[in-house]
Amino acid sequence: MSKRILSGIQPTGHLHLGNYIGAVRQWIELQHSYESLFCIVDLHAITVRQKPEELRAAIRRTAAGYLACGVDPEKASIFVQSSVAEHAELAWVLNTFTQMGELERMTQYKDKSKQHAQNINAGLFTYPALMAADVLLYKTELVPVGEDQKQHIELIRNLAQRFNNHYDKPVFTVPEYVPPKQGARIMGLDDPTKKMSKSAESEWNAIALTDTPDVIRKKIKRAVTDSESEVRAGDDKPALTNLLTIYSVVTGKSIADLEKEYVGRGYGDFKTELGEAVVAWITPIQEKMATYMNDAGELDAVLDAGAERARAIATQTLKEVYDVVGLGY
Ligand code: TYM
């Protein structure tokens, strides 16, 4: 039997190039060789206040984004986290295995509690236990995510081992973090020292998969660059390294080849052509996304089928967990 992979994205705002390069791009490759589950993690999204109608729209848009980028519903189960109740149920059990000190060390929690200082709720704090439930419910072997999630995966590994050792039964599979080959951390266009993020303050930080061609061109034109005008990657050129990575992903050309193409040419040409390359790459994705957004029945069918397949595995694992823990009667 092929190994199982699972990953997920929070339906907050719009999918951006960082989500695509760090996560979705790997999924569409891995779905051919692994049993794949891709989740839209709406329960995670409510750790930050969301407007109900916007959340619902973002859930559907995120699902449409997965499909438009090339996740194949015949190969992978695409589902919404809240439609498989076992995620919340297992999260509770895992909460009781998670130490406060471990959660306090999580950088995503530290960042989010700075951003949302007026609402540092318990859900935001125990977010990783829910994420552990997402992964462990399916005895997932590999978790393809960007680098910012590596710390969470480490914690999930520890939880799985701790639980198995406590009951002396290998209930959970210990999952592995799978980074993308390229672009594990795409940086903000406005600041190459910070990651591209859905929750960035500046509108110039991220390119959303739903941005219009003109907005994309403008964002790339305004992107921060490094000193001196040579187009090359390197530790001393964080902004250009980031832009070259994006260029390489959307064209399939290597960074070395792109550097050669731009020898003796400045940032102006480079940015104009990068803008056109991103627009050319994104246009068919946007067209497909619109098709799925306009066909509610088709999207519902994909999500229903995905949830059903996920549920079949999830109920089984939760039962095993309840049995070893001694829950029920
Ligand atoms: P989220 O919604 O913040 O991001 C979704 C995915 O996109 C990746 N990513 C990036 N990769 C490269 N560069 C960036 N700038 C960038 N920004 C985001 C993330 O690494 C992630 O892979 N906790 C998770 C969601 C989650 C999950 C799970 C993931 C919940 N349960 C179970 C995997 C398995 C999160 O906040 O991702």
Side-chain angles (χ1 to χ4, degrees), residues 266-278:
Y267 289 159
D269 277 3
F270 172 75
K271 282 181 160 181
T272 306
E273 289 168 25
L274 170 58
E276 292 314 317
V278 173

Side-chain angles (χ1 to χ4, degrees), residues 6-12 15-24 26-27 39 41 44 81 108 112 127 130-132 134-135 143-150 152-153 156 177 180 183-188 194-198:
L6 176 138
S7 195
I9 298 182
Q10 296 191 67
T12 47
L15 288 178
H16 57 63
L17 269 181
N19 299 134
Y20 175 78
I21 298 172
V24 182
Q26 310 195 69
W27 305 355
C39 192
V41 292
H44 279 107
Q81 184 187 35
Q108 186 165 326
K112 286 256 168 100
Y127 176 114
L130 177 58
M131 181 163 164
D134 301 340
V135 173
V143 189
V145 281
E147 194 186 75
D148 59 341
Q149 296 302 313
K150 192 176 172 194
H152 285 155
I153 307 298
I156 297 172
Y177 160 64
R185 192 175 176 83
I186 295 294
M187 309 312 275
K194 295 209 182 88
K195 70 169 184 181
M196 185 177 282
S197 164
K198 287 189 219 112

